[in-house]
Structure formats: structure tokens, C-alpha cells
Amino acid sequence: MDIRRLEHENLTRAYGLDMKLLYPWNGLTAPFRGAWCVLRPGDVSVSHAHHEHEIFIGMAGTAAVVAGERRHEFMAGDLVFLKPGIEHHLVNDRDEDFSYYAIWWDRAMSDEFVAAESDRADSHD
């Protein structure tokens, strides 16, 4: 078992928010990617769309997810699923931080994971 602690001092400013990518994590392989994300009061993440599927897991606070022309409140405990190609961004117009975990995946990540696991299993035979 390996535990990665939240390290507020090691977050990186990118895409209009503070974040820490899941990778690199020595010894971890997974068919997805992820990031711990923190929107500070007044933050608006960069609007974008991508070919991956994505899930947001609300951890603390309240913000809004804007998808296309629609704005949806998003708070701790909520889950958001975004299909590929949906233009989206997050807005924190509150007086406190909003934290969430983003997880994204596509076929290439799954194929990469299966290949790595197959190689690992073959090396143990």
C-alpha cells in the first residue's frame, strides 16, 4: 500500500487553477490519468474540450461547472461525468477554495495499461 498525502505547498498553477497530477507515481500503473485540483476564490479554469471521458469528484467547497451554455452547481460529494467533445470549465465565485479530483481516460490509456500489465505478468513467469 502506498499513500500520497495532499501537499498544498506542492500544487502547480496551470489551466487557471492549482493542481497536482496523479503521475508520475513510482510503481503505479492505471488505465486512466488524474489530478487533484483546487480552484481558489475567483478562479476560472481554462475552457476546453477533449477526446477523453472525464469524471470530477467534488471534495470540498462549492463551484460551478459550465458545459456549453449551461451552468451547474457542483459541491463536495457531487460527481460530474463529461463525455468526449463537451466544452467545459469550472468557476469558483465563492469566498472559499473548491477542491475536486479529475479523472480522465481513453482507449489509448487502457491499451497502454493492458500492455504494461501483460509485460509485468510475463516477466514474473
Side-chain angles (χ1 to χ4, degrees):
M1 184 170 108
D2 192 7
I3 296 174
R4 179 178 280 181
R5 302 286 180 207
L6 179 59
E7 301 170 334
H8 286 284
E9 67 278 2
N10 290 328
L11 296 175
T12 302
R13 188 77 181 168
Y15 309 106
L17 51 86
D18 294 331
M19 65 184 295
K20 174 132 176 113
L21 291 172
L22 176 64
Y23 287 104
W25 185 337
N26 191 27
L28 175 69
T29 59
F32 57 85
R33 303 296 181 265
W36 174 259
C37 303
V38 179
L39 270 83
R40 307 294 181 193
D43 279 353
V44 177
S45 69
V46 173
S47 187
H48 65 286
H50 40 74
H51 70 276
E52 298 96 352
H53 301 268
E54 189 167 33
I55 289 178
F56 297 152
I57 304 166
M59 303 301 291
T62 301
V65 178
V66 180
E69 300 296 317
R70 298 193 59 201
R71 180 184 168 110
H72 307 271
E73 290 301 306
F74 179 32
M75 61 187 65
D78 289 349
L79 300 172
V80 173
F81 171 57
L82 294 158
K83 293 179 182 177
I86 295 175
E87 183 85 19
H88 61 281
H89 66 278
L90 286 92
V91 178
N92 183 355
D93 52 14
R94 305 289 178 124
D95 293 331
E96 64 181 6
D97 289 351
F98 176 69
S99 300
Y100 69 100
Y101 209 90
I103 300 170
W104 59 93
W105 67 95
D106 64 10
R107 176 68 185 258
M109 290 175 206
S110 297
D111 291 345
E112 180 183 295
F113 172 74
V114 169
E117 288 298 299
S118 295
D119 289 347
R120 188 180 63 77
D122 291 345
S123 70
H124 286 76
D125 290 342

